[in-house]
Amino acid sequence: MLKELNPLLHSQLRLAIMSILMNCEEASFVYIKEQTQATAGNLSVQLDKLVAAGYITVEKKFQGKKPLTLCSVTDEGKQAFEEYVAALRGYLDVK
Amino acid sequence: MEEKRLNSQESLELIARMINKTKRQLHIGQGNLLLWWGYTSAIVGLLVGVSLLLTGGNPACNWLWFLIWIVGGIGMMVIKRKDKDRIEKEPFTYVDRISSNLWGTIGWMFALGTLMSIGFQFFGKDTWVIMLVFAFLLAGFGSSMQGFILQEKSMVVGGAISLVAGTFVLGCVLSDTPLKVWWVIPLFILCFVFTMIIPGHVLNAKAKKQC
């Protein structure tokens, strides 16, 4: 029986965010916004959802006088992402 | 990008696309730190060599080696400060973390070697050679490892040359073969040309081409 896809990850923007963060240790809000071409508001909302699920952490700090928001994936997020990809492979019958 | 639900195929394509976008790329000035440390070490090496030759081998000239720490350290801080803005524009990857930890560890080991060397001076032992051997071996090891991480052949080869040279110098020390200024200093300079200066220019040229 096919495993159900994690609804939290099965949305375009949240999946894009997780894919970026899985491939690096940390990325800034600005960078994720550029790569996903999402609006700042929408991105913030989706990041909050991922934080609430414990999939990512968001660290807000200052670099000089400029605010800097850095996001990174948690172990829980990594596991959820890997399970999601495994489930996808099952759907598509990819080995 | 909107919050739309995807089918399985679209999800996989999106993951692949995002991973591709975040693939590690060289950035402009990637080789600047290598160049700074490389040129500083080579020039200071030359300065020490010339001083030793002019003073008939006065061991006090060896204190000039500390210029590498002073000039190199100040330059590194300036380059890193300039590089700070990059974190907003580019992701910090695992490769960045490994590289940073690698050179950090090498820096600490070299600092330890320097302190040991200074400590022995107070007991009347001329142990400058420890620093020299450390420089050959640590710079070579660091460069080779970094080369493997970045898949940069010039660094792997340059590092290997320095490791061979360092092992040779260590062999000379252990076998009480005298280290003569006329060959040790040029070997030191040559090693830094191979481990840092050439790879630094290669990385900068590749980054320029890529960006």
Side-chain angles (χ1 to χ4, degrees):
Chain A
M1 190 176 152
L2 291 173
K3 225 175 151 186
E4 200 186 329
L5 291 171
N6 182 340
L8 200 69
L9 295 181
H10 199 55
S11 95
Q12 196 175 13
L13 186 49
R14 288 194 294 269
L15 185 60
I17 296 167
M18 287 297 286
S19 304
I20 290 170
L21 293 178
M22 283 295 288
N23 207 32
C24 59
E25 200 154 289
E26 56 185 17
S28 72
F29 183 89
V30 173
Y31 177 79
I32 298 172
K33 187 172 161 282
E34 268 174 22
Q35 298 305 315
T36 57
Q37 292 176 331
T39 62
N42 191 15
L43 183 58
S44 288
V45 171
Q46 304 314 324
L47 285 176
D48 284 345
K49 286 184 184 174
L50 291 169
V51 171
Y55 289 177
I56 64 165
T57 56
V58 172
E59 187 193 355
K60 290 179 190 222
K61 55 185 187 182
F62 279 89
Q63 192 171 284
K65 286 178 183 169
K66 274 167 65 184
L68 176 69
T69 304
L70 293 173
C71 309
S72 54
V73 72
T74 62
D75 288 342
E76 205 180 325
K78 277 180 197 163
Q79 198 185 334
F81 187 83
E82 279 160 9
E83 282 170 6
Y84 177 81
V85 172
L88 270 185
R89 285 183 168 161
Y91 273 87
L92 295 168
D93 200 23
V94 180
K95 296 283 176 249
Chain B
M1 195 176 279
E2 297 305 320
E3 201 205 339
K4 99 174 190 207
R5 286 184 71 80
L6 308 159
N7 65 35
S8 313
Q9 187 64 42
E10 285 171 337
S11 293
L12 272 187
E13 280 168 9
L14 176 68
I15 293 169
R17 204 167 64 234
M18 285 300 136
I19 288 176
N20 222 18
K21 273 188 173 183
T22 47
K23 246 188 196 167
R24 195 176 195 292
Q25 290 214 326
L26 294 172
H27 60 86
I28 294 282
Q30 175 102 30
N32 285 355
L33 264 181
L34 278 178
L35 287 176
W36 183 257
W37 281 108
Y39 277 116
T40 304
S41 304
I43 291 167
V44 171
L46 187 67
L47 199 66
V48 173
V50 170
S51 310
L52 284 168
L53 287 174
L54 291 179
T55 59
N58 184 350
C61 297
N62 284 305
W63 287 98
L64 287 171
W65 286 116
F66 284 96
L67 281 174
I68 295 180
W69 276 112
I70 299 165
V71 179
I74 292 170
M76 186 174 73
M77 282 194 288
V78 172
I79 292 170
K80 284 201 164 181
R81 184 165 287 192
K82 275 188 180 174
D83 218 25
K84 261 187 174 175
D85 287 342
R86 201 168 61 83
I87 195 154
E88 194 170 57
K89 295 171 195 137
E90 287 174 35
F92 191 74
T93 62
Y94 300 103
V95 168
D96 293 326
R97 174 77 66 207
I98 294 168
S99 302
S100 160
N101 289 345
L102 171 71
W103 286 108
T105 308
I106 285 172
W108 279 110
M109 284 171 75
F110 197 67
L112 198 69
T114 308
L115 286 175
M116 271 170 55
S117 193
I118 295 171
F120 279 113
Q121 301 294 320
F122 290 114
F123 295 100
K125 306 265 183 197
D126 187 12
T127 51
W128 291 110
V129 74
I130 293 178
M131 276 177 71
L132 202 64
V133 172
F134 260 54
F136 278 115
L137 295 179
L138 290 177
F141 177 77
S143 183
S144 277
M145 289 301 113
Q146 175 89 70
F148 284 122
I149 294 165
L150 294 177
Q151 294 175 323
E152 176 50 56
K153 210 185 272 179
S154 66
M155 292 188 88
V156 176
V157 174
I161 291 170
S162 191
L163 280 171
V164 171
T167 310
F168 174 72
V169 173
L170 183 64
C172 289
V173 173
L174 294 175
S175 62
D176 285 328
T177 307
L179 302 178
K180 299 288 184 194
V181 174
W182 65 265
W183 67 264
V184 172
I185 297 295
L187 186 65
F188 177 87
I189 295 168
L190 208 63
C191 280
F192 275 88
V193 168
F194 281 117
T195 51
M196 295 188 175
I197 297 175
I198 293 174
H201 283 298
V202 170
L203 282 179
N204 276 354
K206 282 187 177 174
K208 214 172 174 181
K209 214 172 164 186
Q210 214 176 72
C211 299

